[in-house]
Amino acid sequence: MLGLEDFGVSLSVLIDGKEPMNMWFDWKTSMLEKISKVVGEDGARDLEILMQREAAIPPKVAVVGQAGVGKTTTINNLFNVSWKTSHVFAGTTCEQRENFQFAGGGELTVVDMPGLGEDLRRDPEYLKIYQDVLPGCDVILWIIQADLRTLAEDQRMWMSLTSGRMVGRQQRIVIGVNQVDKIGPGEWDTRLNFPSPEQENSIKRRCKDIGTKLSDVGIRPKHVAYYSAYRRYGLYDLLSSIVGAAGVAGWKFQISPADPFDMADPDIMEYAKSMRQRGRKCAHGE
Amino acid sequence: MKNPFDAQEGSRDLQEFRDRSASEMGYYGWTVAEHQDVSGEPLSKFDENTRVVVFMGKTGAGKTSTINSLFGLSWPTDNAVACTGSPMMAVVQTGHRRVLVVDMPGIAESVDADAKYAAYYRYYFPRANHIVWVLQADTRSYAADQQSMCSLVNCLRENASLTFAVNRIDQIGAGDWDVDTNSPSPWQAAAMAEKQSQVNDLFEWITDGKISTAIACVSASTRYGIEILRDLVIAPGGDG
């Protein structure tokens, strides 16, 4: 089946009104005009139906990673749902999926996977779920824990999953480094909901280390998004990475994951709100 | 009137200060007799009766921090990138007890690192009297420890013993550790019991019948449980 990327489509998406948006139907109209000159009106109409069918299938995002990194918590806070999580004891044990609508249009299917590396005896069963589900997904959101130093298990997970089937999927991988609020030394700034300078340093070094070790197993992600699902920090960056990786045309939506300032001091929230209102007024030329 | 320039008085004061702070710190009497890095076959330098204690576990679990807390050392640690790249050793002693402490580089750092460090594990494990396997409390990911344990449990010497040190116990759950009394919150106390049974369930099928094990919940940073761990590390009632 033809994919839209075969037509060299790359559209940027609207993110909270900040970026210019390429209109799906303007493009479609002009493209179809050109194509009908080559294959005739019937051919162009068939193509249009094909494209509509393709665009109607929401892109699928598989959320993968070791046990306890925060896959389910990330989904809960990105999309404002309440799937069951557990910090210390057993979490997601089977794949669970859900469709999420964005206000303003667009849809996303998210597949939450069980965590690997929990128990040697259960890993083969979970790995099979990964092998079955992953090839059918458009984007892989690979979550890694910031405040741990390990990466061998993630490397091994990738090595046992690739074996030919995932070749060519590189551009669809989003690396999300979660729990940056827990990385040491230093304490998270709870007033501003921001990392301390010492934490920033650790985060940078951890992300760089992750990048190096992933490239050792052949993965070169364009962007490593670091965030904290629990603190609602960096969620915009993460979501825009996911959307960018999906690369599906026809999207026009406004992203509104849980507001990071909701977790900050009430005075700061008021200040941020007034700044945003002022910003909007300026944008409208008032 | 104390004379600050009197050498004898000065050294007496200094010793008093050391004794006081050492007893407050909890490692009174331990002195570091020697500290050397691995080179060639150093184990043959130590006599048969030296108790060898090997610290093992995932990178970042807190092996080096735990050793620093137990024996008052200051070996380097790092939050973001793996630190101990080759085994570090020290002989610590109190009175007639002498222990050779071996700090291993951590497992699961990367596929390359695991391959590189495997030789170290295979060299030290057969010679260890006691293994302290440091696990991180605030994680659910123990398969790498299980894997490593499976491959090493058979090369242990007879009568070797093992202690699981479940470190960072103060961080479990919401991390609402009572800092003033250095003790767990009610939820954390219940979770600690659950954690011990979880660890038992995860490793018993590997260690059963091969090595006697104990589980201790500790926090290297707050020093919770460090005394108890030290008692487990030294041979109970023995000469060490």
Side-chain angles (χ1 to χ4, degrees):
Chain A
M1 193 186 213
L2 282 172
L4 290 158
E5 54 270 64
D6 295 319
F7 295 93
V9 177
S10 81
L11 300 181
S12 56
V13 289
L14 178 72
I15 299 173
D16 226 25
K18 284 188 204 123
E19 307 236 89
M21 185 178 64
N22 297 329
M23 302 295 284
W24 155 244
F25 44 86
D26 280 351
W27 169 87
K28 189 181 74 173
T29 316
S30 66
M31 273 300 285
L32 288 173
E33 269 170 17
K34 289 183 192 146
I35 289 167
S36 64
K37 288 189 186 125
V38 177
V39 297
E41 285 223 16
D42 286 342
R45 211 175 8 252
D46 286 343
L47 192 63
E48 183 173 1
I49 294 167
L50 194 81
M51 281 198 226
Q52 278 173 349
R53 211 181 299 158
E54 176 90 0
I57 305 169
K60 225 175 280 165
V61 182
V63 186
V64 309
Q66 301 299 304
V69 295
K71 297 179 284 302
T72 311
T73 307
T74 301
I75 293 169
N76 284 348
N77 290 6
L78 273 176
F79 304 108
N80 269 319
V81 287
S82 320
W83 289 359
K84 184 177 162 300
T85 64
S86 167
H87 189 259
V88 187
F89 310 109
T92 313
T93 51
C94 59
E95 146 222 349
Q96 49 185 354
R97 63 177 73 196
E98 182 87 23
N99 279 20
F100 296 104
Q101 311 269 353
F102 292 107
E107 206 180 332
L108 194 65
T109 304
V110 178
V111 188
D112 189 14
M113 305 293 284
L116 291 174
E118 200 164 321
D119 187 342
L120 210 57
R121 298 165 289 187
R122 271 211 297 271
D123 268 3
E125 167 199 329
Y126 288 170
L127 210 59
K128 175 128 200 336
I129 298 176
Y130 276 57
Q131 280 163 347
D132 291 341
V133 172
L134 254 45
C137 291
D138 302 287
V139 178
I140 296 170
L141 171 58
W142 184 340
I143 301 183
I144 293 172
Q145 199 164 331
D147 68 330
L148 296 182
R149 283 189 336 215
T150 57
L151 209 71
E153 296 141 300
D154 292 272
Q155 287 176 318
R156 287 201 184 96
M157 172 183 88
W158 185 250
M159 281 157 67
S160 61
L161 288 173
T162 26
S163 55
R165 268 204 265 186
M166 306 290 283
V167 171
R169 292 254 169 199
Q170 270 249 17
Q171 69 277 18
R172 305 303 177 92
I173 303 172
V174 176
I175 306 288
V177 180
N178 189 21
Q179 303 195 41
V180 290
D181 58 312
K182 287 175 65 196
I183 203 170
E187 291 283 313
W188 187 257
D189 188 335
T190 45
R191 254 190 80 98
L192 292 170
N193 204 29
F194 212 72
S196 66
E198 299 87 9
Q199 286 181 311
E200 285 249 40
N201 175 280
S202 287
I203 293 166
K204 280 198 179 68
R205 289 187 305 124
R206 172 71 169 143
C207 288
K208 184 155 178 273
D209 192 46
I210 289 170
T212 311
K213 293 192 172 125
L214 288 182
S215 76
D216 285 346
V217 291
I219 302 166
R220 277 160 202 88
K222 262 183 286 185
H223 181 58
V224 173
Y226 62 87
Y227 68 104
S228 163
Y230 175 68
R231 301 275 181 186
R232 293 165 164 81
Y233 166 82
L235 291 181
Y236 282 100
D237 189 33
L238 179 69
L239 193 51
S240 68
S241 302
I242 296 169
V243 165
V248 175
W251 277 32
K252 159 182 84 154
F253 61 88
Q254 301 219 308
I255 305 177
S256 38
D259 193 323
F261 280 114
D262 281 347
M263 297 286 283
D265 194 278
D267 293 333
I268 306 241
M269 270 170 64
E270 278 307 305
Y271 179 72
K273 230 176 258 174
S274 68
M275 289 300 284
R276 268 181 285 192
Q277 279 164 356
R278 219 183 302 164
R280 283 204 192 100
K281 283 188 187 153
C282 290
H284 292 123
E286 283 173 46
Chain B
M1 174 73 156
K2 283 190 180 174
N3 179 3
F5 299 108
D6 184 304
Q8 259 192 327
E9 263 198 56
S11 71
R12 212 176 23 241
D13 283 347
L14 194 56
Q15 188 53 42
E16 261 174 6
F17 172 77
R18 278 204 187 115
D19 289 346
R20 195 171 55 236
S21 47
S23 69
E24 273 163 10
M25 293 287 282
Y27 50 84
Y28 177 75
W30 288 92
T31 56
V32 182
E34 289 153 58
H35 174 199
Q36 62 187 83
D37 288 324
V38 169
S39 58
E41 299 261 299
L43 281 181
S44 54
K45 282 179 69 179
F46 302 97
D47 69 64
E48 275 286 305
N49 297 319
T50 307
R51 183 172 169 81
V52 178
V53 180
V54 172
F55 282 72
M56 188 68 177
K58 274 164 88 163
T59 181
K63 298 175 287 306
T64 310
S65 300
T66 303
I67 289 173
N68 286 346
S69 273
L70 279 167
F71 305 112
L73 302 176
S74 335
W75 285 348
T77 61
D78 190 307
N79 289 78
V81 202
C83 205
T84 311
S86 60
M88 304 260 284
M89 283 168 33
V91 177
V92 292
Q93 64 181 54
T94 179
H96 58 278
R97 292 188 192 154
R98 218 174 125 92
V99 173
L100 173 63
V101 173
V102 187
D103 189 12
M104 306 300 302
I107 60 177
E109 182 189 319
S110 70
V111 172
D112 291 331
D114 276 349
K116 187 172 105 183
Y117 299 151
Y120 293 135
Y121 307 146
R122 294 212 172 275
Y123 177 70
Y124 284 98
F125 259 61
R127 292 159 174 80
N129 297 98
H130 190 83
I131 309 278
V132 177
W133 200 293
V134 183
L135 296 171
Q136 198 169 330
D138 56 333
T139 184
R140 292 203 329 258
S141 194
Y142 297 112
D145 296 281
Q146 288 175 311
Q147 180 87 71
S148 184
M149 176 85 72
C150 276
S151 71
L152 292 167
V153 75
N154 291 315
C155 63
L156 288 164
R157 77 200 282 177
E158 228 178 296
N159 299 324
S161 49
L162 175 96
T163 302
F164 286 107
V166 184
N167 189 27
R168 286 174 49 144
I169 199 73
D170 56 317
Q171 301 287 320
I172 56 168
D176 50 348
W177 189 258
D178 189 336
V179 180
D180 300 317
T181 58
N182 198 23
S183 59
S185 69
W187 189 93
Q188 286 183 317
M192 271 167 68
E194 266 275 6
K195 196 60 160 177
Q196 286 182 308
S197 100
Q198 183 191 36
V199 168
N200 188 57
D201 175 56
L202 286 168
F203 292 96
E204 212 223 337
W205 61 281
I206 308 171
T207 59
D208 192 35
K210 298 201 175 126
I211 184 173
S212 70
T213 62
I215 302 174
C217 289
V218 304
S219 163
S221 57
T222 70
R223 300 187 54 83
Y224 174 85
I226 288 292
E227 309 294 321
I228 299 168
L229 180 63
R230 196 169 55 238
D231 293 338
L232 286 167
V233 166
I234 307 162
D239 279 356

